[in-house]
Every structure is written in C-alpha cells, then in structure tokens.
C-alpha cells in the first residue's frame, strides 16, 4: 500500500512539473512579453528577387530588381566621373570588369569588358543591387543631377520644325520602348539633309547587331512614316570610332591573308 501511495505521489509530482514547464514557456517574456522586432530590411531582402535577361550584346546583361529604377526616362554612365551623380552607379562601376552602367525605368543594364566573365561578376553585382534597393537610398544625389542624367532629346520644342517634331515623337513612342526591351536606349542628335542622327546607349552601345537595328528597323520605320527622312546614322563616341577602326583593319588583314592562299594551318596539315 505504501509502495502504491509513493508511486501515485511520484506520478502527481511529475505531472505538476510538466505543467510548470509548459506554463513557464508560455509566460516567457520572449512569447508574451515585448514582441520581437523584425528588421524590415531583412524581411524586404527575403522577398526581393532580382532577375536577369540576356541582350543582343553578349557583354551586357539586364538586371530587373522588381522595383522602379528611373521610373521614367533613362541615364547612362560610361566612366567614374559621370557615375558620381548616382550612389548606385558609382558602386557598380567600382566592380572589377564593369565598363558602363545604364538605368532604365525598371531595370539596370551592366556592360562588362570582354575579357571578364559573367559568372565571376554576377554575385557582386547582385549583392550591390540588393543592398542598395533594400536600404531605400535615393538613386541620385540630387534632383538636379537626376534631371540632367535623363534624356531631354525627344522633348518637342517650339523651334522644332514639323518634321523634327514627328521624328522625336516617333523615337519616343515607337523606337525607344522597343530598344529598352533589349536593355538599351536611343538618343536623338539631330536632323540634317534627310539624315536622322542618333546615339545608341546601354546594351546597344557597341553591339554587333546595332547596324541591323538601325537600317532594318529604325530607318525603315522612319522612311515609312516621314517621307523627308532618307537615312538614319549612328553618332559614335571617340573610343567607339577607334574600336570600329581597329576592327576594320583587322578584317582587312584577315581578308588579305585569305586571298594569299590557304589558312595558316595548311602548312602543318600538308603531307
């Protein structure tokens, strides 16, 4: 009997101990006290997903953070000096191998030096974009710098002729949206003697297919809607002219070598 009573008392003690433990956990300050504060930046970072899209230019990638970048308009940074206007641009330009940065309405296009590899660069680019957008920083240091960076080229002026006004409207409403899909932009540089002068930016800068885009796309559209337009020409920067000249010289040397005879490997393959 005494043994049974002792066992029953022991079971009762264990039951009370379990109840005490459960009650202590429920009454713990971490549960019923001050609510745990969740860092909103960490929560935002977890929900943020940056996508990438390839462009016709293999040295340019389009990064889509899922949040507005410029909102409207675009801005391009081709060197450190111009990138000083934007905290994000200067950080991206500081990544090894980055050649230029382009901001679109809802994307960022990063162009690299040809010798560098995307698989080594993308992790740092992702990290930079994630950190910037989660910190809610301003894209530009001032509103004035933002206005200066955005395109003003297609704004129709009172001094514009009817033809120039039509060219600008066509560039803004038809051409620019299509080119931005590929991570680039187009800038109006003038109209003279039937020739529309434009500047390609972003992923379209230095792209091999840019000539095809100009002739088969933009020029044909311009000539169809505006009879006064005869051709569309691209304005090149000094460094682009040098690169194009070097490429032309290389092609000429290659063609000259091929005309002389077989390929350079022929002498090693002959019996």
């Amino acid at each position: 009997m005494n043994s049974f009573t002792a066992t029953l008392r022991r079971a009762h003690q264990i039951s009370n101990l379990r109840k005490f433990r459960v009650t202590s956990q429920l009454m713990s300050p971490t549960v019923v006290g001050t609510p745990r504060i969740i860092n909103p930046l960490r929560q935002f970072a977890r929900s943020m997903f940056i996508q990438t899209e390839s462009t016709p230019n293999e040295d340019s990638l389009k990064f889509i953070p899922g949040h507005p970048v410029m909102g409207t308009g675009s801005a391009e940074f081709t060197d450190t000096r111009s990138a000083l206007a934007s905290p994000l641009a200067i950080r991206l330009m500081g990544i090894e191998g980055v050649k230029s940065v382009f901001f679109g309405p809802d994307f960022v296009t990063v162009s690299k030096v040809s010798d560098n590899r995307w698989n080594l660069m993308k992790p740092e680019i992702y990290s930079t974009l994630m950190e910037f957008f989660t910190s809610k920083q301003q894209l530009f240091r001032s509103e004035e710098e933002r206005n200066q960076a955005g395109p003003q080229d297609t704004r129709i002026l009172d001094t514009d002729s009817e033809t120039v006004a039509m060219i600008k409207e066509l560039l803004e409403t038809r051409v620019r949206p299509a080119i931005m899909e590929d991570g680039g932009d187009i800038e109006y540089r003038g109209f003279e003697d039937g020739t529309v002068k434009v500047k390609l930016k972003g992923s379209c800068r230095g792209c091999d297919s840019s000539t095809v885009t100009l002739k088969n796309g933009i020029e044909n559209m311009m000539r169809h809607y505006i009879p006064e337009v005869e051709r569309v020409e691209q304005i090149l920067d000094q460094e682009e002219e040098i690169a194009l000249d070097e490429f032309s010289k290389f092609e000429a040397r290659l063609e000259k070598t091929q005309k002389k005879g077989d390929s350079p490997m022929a002498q090693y393959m002959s019996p």
Side-chain angles (χ1 to χ4, degrees), residues 8-235:
L8 186 63
R9 186 182 295 115
R10 179 62 179 166
H12 183 68
Q13 290 174 346
I14 293 174
S15 176
N16 287 339
L17 180 61
R18 286 176 178 173
K19 288 179 181 179
F20 173 78
R21 286 176 178 172
V22 172
T23 304
S24 298
Q25 291 175 358
L26 291 175
M27 296 299 293
S28 173
T30 59
V31 178
V32 298
T34 304
R36 186 177 62 179
I37 299 175
I38 301 175
N39 188 336
L41 296 183
R42 290 184 59 188
Q43 192 174 27
F44 181 77
R46 289 180 179 179
S47 64
M48 187 177 185
F49 178 69
I50 299 176
Q51 301 180 64
T52 59
E53 287 185 4
S54 59
T55 71
N57 186 349
E58 61 180 12
D59 288 330
S60 297
L61 266 183
K62 184 178 176 182
F63 294 83
I64 307 172
H67 300 275
V69 181
M70 285 288 288
T72 57
S74 64
E76 186 177 39
F77 310 91
T78 57
D79 52 39
T80 305
R81 184 176 180 180
S82 62
L84 289 173
S86 168
L88 176 58
I90 195 66
R91 291 181 192 177
L92 291 171
M93 289 293 288
I95 298 174
E96 184 178 355
V98 172
K99 185 179 181 181
S100 65
V101 176
F102 177 84
F103 295 159
D106 59 354
F107 65 88
V108 176
T109 297
V110 177
S111 299
K112 69 176 181 66
V113 179
S114 298
D115 295 340
N116 292 74
R117 299 170 59 184
W118 281 120
N119 62 336
L120 299 178
M121 296 174 62
K122 282 197 291 186
E124 191 169 357
I125 295 174
Y126 279 129
S127 175
T128 301
L129 292 173
M130 185 79 72
E131 181 182 350
F132 180 83
F133 285 109
T134 54
S135 65
K136 301 289 187 177
Q137 293 184 58
Q138 295 296 320
L139 191 62
F140 290 90
R141 300 188 187 279
S142 67
E143 190 64 25
E144 182 182 357
E145 288 177 313
R146 187 195 188 285
N147 293 334
Q148 291 176 351
Q152 307 291 329
D153 55 295
T154 53
R155 184 172 56 185
I156 299 176
L157 308 175
D158 295 336
T159 56
D160 289 337
S161 65
E162 184 180 351
T163 300
V164 170
M166 291 175 64
I167 292 172
K168 287 183 175 182
E169 183 178 358
L170 198 59
L171 287 173
E172 180 66 27
T173 59
R174 295 290 188 90
V175 179
R176 178 164 277 154
I179 290 183
M180 280 192 172
E181 286 293 320
D182 288 333
D185 197 5
I186 189 169
E187 182 179 320
Y188 172 76
R189 289 293 185 90
F191 176 67
E192 186 178 357
D193 298 330
T195 301
V196 178
K197 298 178 181 180
V198 297
K199 172 70 180 172
L200 293 176
K201 302 162 68 177
S203 64
C204 298
R205 177 189 289 270
C207 179
D208 294 336
S209 62
S210 60
T211 302
V212 178
T213 301
L214 281 175
K215 296 299 178 183
N216 294 352
I218 303 172
E219 185 177 286
N220 288 346
M221 182 186 295
M222 287 282 181
R223 294 175 63 182
H224 175 75
Y225 288 103
I226 309 172
E228 291 83 357
V229 173
E230 297 176 6
R231 66 187 67 84
V232 176
E233 290 183 359
Q234 180 181 184
I235 302 298

